[in-house]
Each structure stands twice: as structure tokens, then as C-alpha cells.
């Protein structure tokens, strides 16, 4: 397998000098699903944001053979799709369809092509045709999450980043999301506290603490080692 993500000696400090990531070294292979465990504030989201260039630290980050630098940001952001913890952060257009069309139109796609691909993406995540004309804020939490995912998938990314994807989902919504994600071929990096969801999605996890990777291995072993389960 070829690496799709290679990180070497990555360090990042937030404005004001607070160290958020320290000497991160990580390789993720094409087709792999990787889970990020760690307490709140451990650097999981900050690490995800390095991979699409939203944040740029010191060190070397390479995605699909491209160094994550200002020069390569347009291509990096086409290859890397991120679904945030709060889908409302991504849904801002008047209708569901317009939200999913926004990215393609912003890249200069013809409206007809953008609409066709947006409809296909929405269908692929299980959004019914009668919902696509509704305002996103009228949707349930699970529906919003699927629309946000459709808005990423329509761009045909190679790498999916998911930040706490099961937050606020009830058990049926969680099962639906899990089943959907298991069908997607993209490499995925998933930051989550949900150990059962993590184990269903991945065989590998890393554990972050205070901005450092302190463990990398089997997802169940890492969860047990750090007592990272509600039942422990």
C-alpha cells in the first residue's frame, strides 16, 4: 500500500504561543481508516486541520504526494474533504441542494453538472428527494450530518476527515452513519470518543495527549490501555 498521508516532525502553536502539536510523526496508507483518540484539547482537531491546510505548522505534511503548503492548497483542498463536528458550520445556503452545489460551483463547474453531481451525492448518503429543497436548519441532526458529508463527497476527495461524527446522533442515526461510512472507498481519519464506533470503522488508532502521539496500534488495545471506554 502507498502512503496517502505522511507527517514528519510536525509542530504547531496557536496564536499566543500555546503549543498544540509537538513532534507529530504519522503515516496513513491508501484505503486505511485511522481513528484519533484523546481527551478534549489533546490536538485531534488541530491535527485534522493541518491535513487540508486550514492550519499550517512547522515540519512536513504530505497528502497524496503533495506537500501541504500555500502553493498546493487549491489541489490539497480538492483531495481532502473534512466534515466538522457541528454540521451547522458547513450548512449555510438557503436549501440543501444549493449547499451541496456550493463547492463545485466555487470551482467553476457548469451549473447543470454541479446540480447533477449534487443530486447524486445526496442520493448516495440517503437524503430523500423531497428534502433537497428544504432549508438545512429544518433537518434532523442525522440528516444535517449526511448533507454535510454529501457536500464533501460531491468534490470526489481522496481523503475524508471526520471530527466527532457521532456527536448528538441517536442510536438509529449512529447506525445509519456507520453503515454509510463503511461503504465509502476513501481513506478516512476519524477523531472520536466513541470506541464502539471506532472499532467498527477501523483496526488502527492513535492516542493523542497534550499534542503528542503517545500510542499507535490496534484500536481495541489502544482503547483498553487508556481506559477509553464508558464501560471501563
Amino acid at each position: 500500500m502507498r502512503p496517502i498521508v505522511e507527517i514528519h516532525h510536525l509542530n504547531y502553536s496557536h496564536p499566543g504561543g500555546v503549543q498544540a502539536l509537538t513532534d507529530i510523526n504519522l503515516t496513513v496508507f491508501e484505503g486505511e481508516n485511522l481513528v484519533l483518540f484523546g481527551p478534549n484539547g489533546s490536538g485531534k482537531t488541530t491535527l485534522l486541520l493541518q491535513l487540508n491546510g486550514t492550519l499550517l505548522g512547522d515540519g512536513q505534511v504530505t497528502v497524496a504526494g503533495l506537500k501541504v503548503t500555500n502553493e498546493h492548497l487549491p489541489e490539497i483542498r480538492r483531495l481532502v474533504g473534512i466534515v466538522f463536528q457541528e454540521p451547522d458550520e458547513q450548512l449555510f445556503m438557503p436549501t440543501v441542494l444549493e449547499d451541496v452545489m456550493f463547492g463545485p460551483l466555487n470551482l467553476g463547474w457548469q451549473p447543470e453538472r454541479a446540480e447533477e453531481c449534487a443530486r447524486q451525492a445526496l442520493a448516495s448518503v440517503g437524503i430523500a428527494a423531497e428534502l433537497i429543497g428544504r432549508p438545512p436548519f429544518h433537518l434532523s441532526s442525522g440528516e444535517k450530518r449526511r448533507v454535510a458529508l454529501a457536500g464533501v463527497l460531491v468534490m470526489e476527495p481522496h481523503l475524508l476527515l471526520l471530527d466527532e461524527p457521532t456527536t448528538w446522533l441517536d442510536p438509529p442515526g449512529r447506525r445509519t452513519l456507520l453503515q454509510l461510512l463503511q461503504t465509502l472507498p476513501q481513506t478516512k481519519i476519524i477523531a472520536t470518543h466513541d470506541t464502539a464506533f471506532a472499532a467498527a470503522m477501523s483496526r488502527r488508532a492513535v492516542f493523542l495527549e497534550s499534542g503528542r502521539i503517545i500510542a499507535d496500534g490496534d484500536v481495541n488495545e489502544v482503547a483498553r490501555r487508556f481506559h477509553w471506554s464508558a464501560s471501563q
Side-chain angles (χ1 to χ4, degrees):
M1 291 189 296
R2 295 182 300 174
I4 189 170
V5 171
E6 296 178 278
I7 303 174
H8 299 287
H9 304 296
L10 173 65
N11 297 278
Y12 179 78
S13 296
H14 290 302
V18 176
Q19 188 79 13
L21 297 173
T22 301
D23 198 30
I24 298 293
N25 294 279
L26 183 67
T27 300
V28 183
F29 294 94
E30 288 186 358
E32 184 176 20
N33 293 337
L34 174 70
V35 167
L36 305 181
F37 286 144
N40 293 334
S42 61
K44 301 187 299 297
T45 300
T46 301
L47 179 55
L48 293 180
L49 294 176
Q50 302 285 328
L51 298 179
N52 75 342
T54 298
L55 300 176
L56 295 172
D58 298 320
Q60 182 171 302
V61 179
T62 303
V63 175
L66 294 172
K67 291 183 180 179
V68 182
T69 61
N70 286 320
E71 176 187 2
H72 295 136
L73 285 188
E75 181 65 7
I76 290 289
R77 288 175 179 168
R78 190 189 70 77
L79 294 171
V80 180
I82 184 166
V83 180
F84 293 102
Q85 180 175 356
E86 298 291 347
D88 287 334
E89 294 180 11
Q90 293 179 249
L91 306 177
F92 53 87
M93 297 296 285
T95 69
V96 166
L97 181 61
E98 289 173 288
D99 242 311
V100 180
M101 289 176 62
F102 178 83
L105 290 175
N106 201 42
L107 288 182
W109 293 18
Q110 291 297 315
E112 294 82 4
R113 180 190 173 203
E115 180 174 346
E116 179 183 0
C117 291
R119 289 179 180 274
Q120 290 173 352
L122 286 162
S124 75
V125 300
I127 293 296
E130 60 266 23
L131 297 180
I132 66 174
R134 291 187 185 177
F137 63 85
H138 285 177
L139 304 180
S140 69
S141 294
E143 289 166 341
K144 287 179 182 178
R145 213 166 282 278
R146 282 184 279 154
V147 171
L149 181 58
V152 169
L153 294 178
V154 73
M155 306 298 289
E156 300 180 338
H158 291 194
L159 174 65
L160 281 178
L161 311 176
L162 299 113
D163 193 5
E164 300 292 351
T166 60
T167 300
W168 310 123
L169 293 184
D170 58 22
R174 179 182 171 282
R175 283 194 300 271
T176 299
L177 179 66
L178 174 62
Q179 291 164 359
L180 170 61
L181 292 176
Q182 287 173 328
T183 68
L184 299 179
Q186 287 90 349
T187 306
K188 304 170 197 70
I189 302 178
I190 306 162
T192 184
H193 294 301
D194 187 335
T195 53
F197 181 85
M201 282 299 305
S202 177
R203 290 182 290 182
R204 179 186 173 202
V206 300
F207 196 96
L208 282 87
E209 186 172 84
S210 301
R212 296 177 181 270
I213 292 177
I214 60 172
D216 182 343
D218 176 81
V219 62
N220 291 310
E221 289 298 323
V222 171
R224 279 194 291 268
R225 177 178 170 186
F226 293 96
H227 306 288
W228 210 247
S229 171
S231 62
Q232 293 177 312

